[in-house]
Amino acid sequence: MKLGVVGAGMVGSSAAFAAGLRGTAREIVLVDRNEALAVAQAEDISHAMPFASATIVRAGGYGDLAGASVVVIAAGVGQKPGESRLELLGRNAEVFRQVIGEILTVEPNAILLIASNPVDIMTDVATRLSKLPAGRVIGSGTILDTARFRSLLSRHLEITPHSVHAHVLGEHGDSEVLAWSGARVGALPLADFAAQVSAPITQAVRDQIDAGVRRAAYRIIDGKGATYFGIGAGLARIIAAIASDEKAIFTLSIVTDEVAGVGPVALSVPRVVGREGIISTIRPDLNTAELEALRASAELLKTTADAIGI
């Protein structure tokens, strides 16, 4: 499989590095408007490959994306002083218009994997601009938030996070919804398992984990300026599922006809991922409060996306 990455900054390069370490792709091509950055990132990552895989990593232009099964889009512009969030989204939509046009000109069959923030809105923008089926324009969504949720639960329960099945839904952002009611560990509901291992899920524990998930990005950004390793690994995991036609389930963002009575809207719920992209969507059982929170998240995202005017 050939993988393209447009945007060789910290997120794009971390995704390329993680995918290379997994050996998922035969070849990875990094494209960036700053050619020197793409060349430097590709060379640095390629030097790590002898320790991990036979993946070829190189820099190139859009023409070098021909034959790519998946193209990660991690491109965008920063906010100017005094610029509103909506104005910033409008400028990033124009960046996406150019980038997506270039990609699809050389590789119209590629699956687009969106990593640029705000990822749900940019996934909606990419779907409108590309006119591709929704299942082939995939936002990383809450895959990282879900990983954070499972990680913090596993620490509390003192078990591996691989045995924790819990999801974060809705926006990758402040309105996201931790779906506590459906969380399971092994074959048991979360509360039952927690009772058996003498680690009850009290309200204080719930509040601490909720804050740990919801505020994680802010803490990391305060400490080192940006988050990239976690999402890089998440993107590489999605790419691996596509490459192997795994039909794995992740919380990912695509434009969906209706979620919690709102739509069409791009947000995260559990999705089945295979060679063709998103194969199907899973509708989780939620309690009344969670469903209402998901509806509010969906309404916020739809209002913002519609305001861009694409």
Side-chain angles (χ1 to χ4, degrees):
M1 178 184 128
K2 183 174 181 178
L3 169 66
V5 178
V6 178
M10 296 309 300
V11 170
S13 61
S14 294
F17 180 58
L21 290 180
R22 294 181 70 100
T24 299
R26 166 185 54 83
E27 179 183 9
I28 302 174
V29 178
L30 276 72
V31 178
D32 197 281
R33 64 179 180 176
N34 181 345
E35 184 179 349
L37 175 62
V39 169
Q41 297 281 35
E43 184 173 1
D44 195 13
I45 295 168
S46 70
H47 294 164
M49 293 305 99
F51 302 111
S53 75
T55 299
I56 297 168
V57 185
R58 64 186 180 91
Y62 284 103
D64 295 294
L65 298 177
S69 300
V70 179
V71 178
V72 175
I73 302 180
V77 294
Q79 194 163 13
K80 295 179 178 179
E83 185 177 39
S84 72
R85 183 168 180 261
L86 194 59
E87 289 170 336
L88 174 62
L89 285 170
R91 288 202 299 127
N92 271 319
E94 290 308 309
V95 171
F96 264 43
R97 190 186 301 277
Q98 177 186 352
V99 167
I100 290 170
E102 296 276 11
I103 294 168
L104 296 183
T105 296
V106 297
E107 189 43 73
N109 296 316
I111 292 170
L112 304 182
L113 182 52
I114 311 303
S116 303
N117 276 321
V119 69
D120 302 292
I121 304 301
M122 299 315 297
T123 299
D124 190 304
V125 166
T127 304
R128 299 187 196 201
L129 291 173
S130 69
K131 297 180 170 51
L132 291 172
R136 287 179 54 200
V137 185
I138 306 170
S140 57
T142 59
I143 191 171
L144 180 54
D145 308 273
T146 289
R148 290 165 174 161
F149 190 18
R150 294 177 179 182
S151 175
L152 292 174
L153 281 171
S154 74
R155 290 184 196 177
H156 175 71
L157 300 170
E158 297 186 347
I159 58 166
T160 173
H162 294 152
S163 294
V164 178
H165 308 285
H167 299 99
V168 178
L169 312 174
E171 179 192 15
H172 172 56
D174 292 343
S175 73
E176 65 190 20
V177 181
L178 278 65
W180 287 93
S181 66
R184 301 184 72 83
V185 182
L188 292 176
L190 172 61
D192 293 350
F193 182 91
Q196 288 195 30
V197 297
S198 301
I201 306 295
T202 63
Q203 188 59 51
V205 169
R206 287 173 61 116
D207 291 345
Q208 183 178 26
I209 290 176
D210 185 281
V213 173
R214 204 176 296 277
R215 304 297 299 175
Y218 296 104
R219 291 194 307 276
I220 294 168
I221 291 168
D222 283 347
K224 68 173 194 174
T227 67
Y228 37 87
F229 292 135
I231 191 56
L235 291 164
R237 183 66 184 90
I238 299 165
I239 294 160
I242 294 170
S244 64
D245 196 23
E246 185 177 349
K247 298 179 176 63
I249 297 175
F250 306 116
T251 50
L252 298 173
S253 184
I254 67 170
V255 174
T256 308
D257 288 341
E258 179 273 327
V259 176
V262 180
V265 62
L267 49 60
S268 288
V269 293
R271 319 275 188 180
V272 180
V273 183
R275 184 174 292 118
E276 301 304 316
I278 301 296
I279 298 168
S280 59
T281 291
I282 309 302
R283 304 285 180 161
D285 289 331
L286 302 173
N287 63 31
T288 301
E290 291 165 347
L291 184 61
E292 185 53 41
L294 183 59
R295 180 179 295 110
S297 186
E299 288 174 345
L300 172 66
L301 289 168
K302 180 171 174 54
T303 299
T304 304
D306 287 348
I308 299 174
I310 292 177

